[in-house]
Amino acid sequence: MVHHFYELLKHGEIKMNKKIKIAIIGLGYVGLPLARLFATKYSVVGYDINKERVKELSNGIDSTFEVENDLLETVLIRENPFLNHQDHNHGLYCSLNIEDIKDANIYIVTVPTPVDKHSRPDLTPLYKASETVGKVLKKGDIVIYESTVYPGVTEEECVPVLERVSGLRFNVDFFAGYSPERINPGDKERTVEKILKVTSGSTLEIGKEVDNLYRSVITAGTHLAPTIKVAEASKVIENSQRDINIAFVNELAKIFNLLGIDTHAVLKAAGTKWNFLQFKPGLVGGHCIGVDPFYLAQKAQDVGYYSELILTARRLNDSMGTFVASQVVKTMIKKEININRAKALNLGVTFKENCPDVRNTKAVDVIKSLEEYTINVTTFDPWANPEEVFLEYGIKSANSLEEINDKFDVIILTVAHQEFIDLDLTQYLKEGGVIYDVKGILTQSDARL
């Protein structure tokens, strides 16, 4: 039977009503906020293969803290809204059963796009998500991807999987769109609806449909890109641009350190000019800035171009963990602290402040490098799950500061969690010890990046 979207296309626009049924594939840092937002107006089923994740969300709990529990409760419903006997105009139902998404007509894929141990793009999550959607795909359905990718992935990698599994024809039986996520983990001010959204579709008409769909919930507005590849490229260069700019100030930090100049003071002075870009040195990890440039560089290499600037910036930023460790050791030596078996307290292990995400965190590089100097490192992070940290990196971290009944030769602030800003670090520091401030936020420190 011809899907109702075909009728909408005849009129040149999509008419938002309760017939829209949205399935969100992946309920992580990107998928859940998006599902919650769409659920304020539409029937939404959030699908994830993580049993524990689905269970906690069904109970109104988000362990990533991206959606406040009381806000999540306002949209949660306990029964599949797609079923004919249900009369839900909107709401979010969470499930790990593929049968629960078979009646959707819009599928939005929000799975992660990591790199492998050789820093090459790993599209496995996208392939598996596309296979899942392909099993339930019907005529007239639209599949929208939000995962960060290099230009061409949606139409050249994902669509063939959809066609193969579903047996349907692209742009004849089903359609695709791409709207890159712009979630900023831990940011409670710039939430998903307050960030302008780039949209695109596999045809001009579908592009308008996708744009109208997002515009109906994104208060900041939308920008309709002319093609899916343009939308894909726009996302991957956002983070590549930041990576390159941060690499520049990280290199400045290395230079000014040799010159005995305070990098933060230099940046503050230069920042008085109206067109100076405000970037600070630091550890660049996470699943966006620390990963996305590799996707663009890989695609460039596939077409015969070796990207020197992007990869150089990435290598420089990846070197900052070992650089920080070396600077900590030099500062300790200047204060005549014995390095061998010295005690260090590392504050912070997530990839950024006020966020529990430990994926691709460069704080680990600092810890590992300090251990190579035979320094005994104790780690504490009020936001990170100690079990997850140990499982991912083999690093034991304290559950609370109360557990840390010791004094240390050196304290390193690697992540600027709010809990650390006003903390009296001297109570954990040996007399003559060192405080090293990676983030440049402490009022008192012996050295900083």
Side-chain angles (χ1 to χ4, degrees):
M1 182 177 179
V2 177
H3 197 276
H4 72 276
F5 279 127
Y6 283 99
E7 295 302 317
L8 297 176
L9 285 179
K10 291 179 181 178
H11 297 90
E13 63 179 3
I14 187 170
K15 298 185 183 303
M16 297 299 169
N17 54 46
K18 66 180 182 180
K19 292 182 180 179
I20 299 297
K21 300 176 181 179
I22 302 172
I24 306 289
I25 313 300
L27 294 173
Y29 284 86
V30 174
L32 180 63
L34 187 68
R36 196 284 310 172
L37 180 60
F38 272 125
T40 61
K41 288 193 176 184
Y42 306 107
S43 294
V44 179
V45 172
Y47 174 84
D48 201 290
I49 60 174
N50 187 325
K51 183 178 180 180
E52 291 303 314
R53 178 65 171 162
V54 171
K55 181 180 179 181
E56 70 173 20
L57 292 178
S58 297
N59 289 325
I61 300 172
D62 174 26
S63 60
T64 69
F65 305 117
E66 286 305 298
V67 177
E68 296 177 358
N69 293 343
D70 56 350
L71 187 60
L72 179 58
E73 278 288 355
T74 63
V75 296
L76 275 181
I77 53 180
R78 308 303 175 183
E79 296 176 293
N80 189 336
F82 296 170
L83 300 180
N84 293 330
H85 65 272
Q86 302 299 332
D87 191 31
H88 294 291
N89 290 327
H90 61 83
L92 171 62
Y93 176 73
C94 300
S95 175
L96 46 78
N97 186 353
I98 191 174
E99 289 295 310
D100 286 329
I101 62 172
K102 68 178 183 180
D103 292 322
N105 43 44
I106 294 178
Y107 295 90
I108 303 179
V109 178
T110 61
V111 297
T113 43
V115 293
D116 63 20
K117 63 180 180 180
H118 303 294
S119 298
R120 294 176 302 203
D122 180 5
L123 300 179
T124 302
L126 271 181
Y127 290 144
K128 290 186 177 298
S130 298
E131 288 176 352
T132 297
V133 174
K135 293 175 182 177
V136 293
L137 198 61
K138 306 169 298 301
K139 286 188 175 183
D141 289 352
I142 300 176
V143 185
I144 304 169
Y145 290 86
E146 289 218 1
S147 307
T148 302
V149 294
Y150 55 77
V153 166
T154 298
E155 293 161 298
E156 297 167 11
E157 300 290 341
C158 297
V159 164
V161 175
L162 294 173
E163 287 186 313
R164 173 176 56 81
V165 177
S166 69
L168 300 176
R169 296 167 296 172
F170 179 48
N171 277 342
V172 175
D173 300 319
F174 73 93
F175 305 91
Y178 183 79
S179 181
E181 60 90 1
R182 280 179 167 170
I183 296 292
N184 186 27
D187 191 337
K188 301 306 178 184
E189 297 298 323
R190 291 180 287 257
T191 51
V192 59
E193 66 269 27
K194 297 177 183 177
I195 303 174
L196 194 144
K197 204 82 161 67
V198 174
T199 61
S200 64
S202 54
T203 69
L204 179 61
E205 293 80 6
I206 293 300
K208 292 177 181 177
E209 282 200 34
V210 172
D211 189 69
N212 284 335
L213 176 66
Y214 280 97
R215 196 189 312 154
S216 69
V217 292
I218 302 293
T219 56
T222 60
H223 173 85
L224 177 57
T227 66
I228 286 177
K229 286 184 179 179
V230 167
E232 290 170 327
S234 74
K235 171 58 181 178
V236 79
I237 71 166
E238 287 178 20
N239 290 329
S240 297
Q241 182 188 66
R242 285 186 56 79
D243 198 39
I244 291 169
N245 279 299
I246 296 172
F248 172 60
V249 294
N250 273 339
E251 188 165 57
L252 292 179
K254 291 184 176 184
I255 295 171
F256 293 145
N257 182 270
L258 293 172
L259 296 174
I261 301 174
D262 186 334
T263 303
H264 291 269
V266 173
L267 294 174
K268 184 177 180 180
T272 58
K273 190 170 186 229
W274 73 90
N275 61 350
F276 185 81
L277 301 179
Q278 301 288 345
F279 288 92
K280 294 182 178 181
L283 305 171
V284 188
H287 48 93
C288 291
I289 300 178
V291 171
D292 298 349
F294 287 122
Y295 274 73
L296 184 56
Q298 178 64 54
K299 186 60 177 178
Q301 187 170 321
D302 288 345
V303 293
Y305 181 83
Y306 181 81
S307 177
E308 295 190 27
L309 182 59
I310 293 173
L311 291 177
T312 298
R314 190 85 293 282
R315 284 193 297 270
L316 194 148
N317 284 338
D318 275 347
S319 73
M320 292 306 291
T322 54
F323 176 75
V324 166
S326 69
Q327 296 308 300
V328 170
V329 170
K330 286 180 180 179
T331 307
M332 293 171 68
I333 291 173
K334 288 178 181 178
K335 297 194 73 170
E336 299 183 344
I337 298 173
N338 184 13
I339 303 302
N340 189 32
R341 303 302 174 188
K343 293 182 179 180
L345 174 61
N346 175 71
L347 296 176
V349 75
T350 62
F351 90 90
K352 66 175 294 187
E353 65 275 6
N354 307 321
C355 171
D357 196 350
V358 298
R359 289 178 294 174
N360 194 34
T361 173
K362 297 306 178 183
V364 169
D365 294 351
V366 178
I367 297 169
K368 297 291 188 182
S369 295
L370 288 173
E371 290 176 339
E372 290 178 359
Y373 286 101
T374 71
I375 296 175
N376 295 317
V377 183
T378 297
T379 295
F380 170 66
D381 191 311
W383 285 80
N385 183 329
E387 293 182 3
E388 184 180 356
V389 174
F390 184 75
L391 183 64
E392 188 75 20
Y393 302 107
I395 293 173
K396 293 182 179 180
S397 55
N399 288 293
S400 66
L401 282 172
E402 286 70 27
E403 283 188 18
I404 304 174
N405 187 25
D406 204 349
K407 287 187 178 292
F408 299 87
D409 298 290
V410 59
I411 298 176
I412 310 101
L413 178 79
T414 52
V415 186
H417 292 313
Q418 186 63 41
E419 290 87 342
F420 295 151
I421 295 176
D422 299 319
L423 184 64
D424 179 15
L425 297 181
T426 58
Q427 61 183 311
Y428 303 102
L429 194 67
K430 290 181 180 180
E431 185 176 350
V434 167
I435 296 177
Y436 191 94
D437 183 8
V438 175
K439 301 298 293 185
I441 63 167
L442 300 176
T443 54
Q444 289 185 329
S445 63
D446 295 281
R448 59 182 180 175
L449 183 59

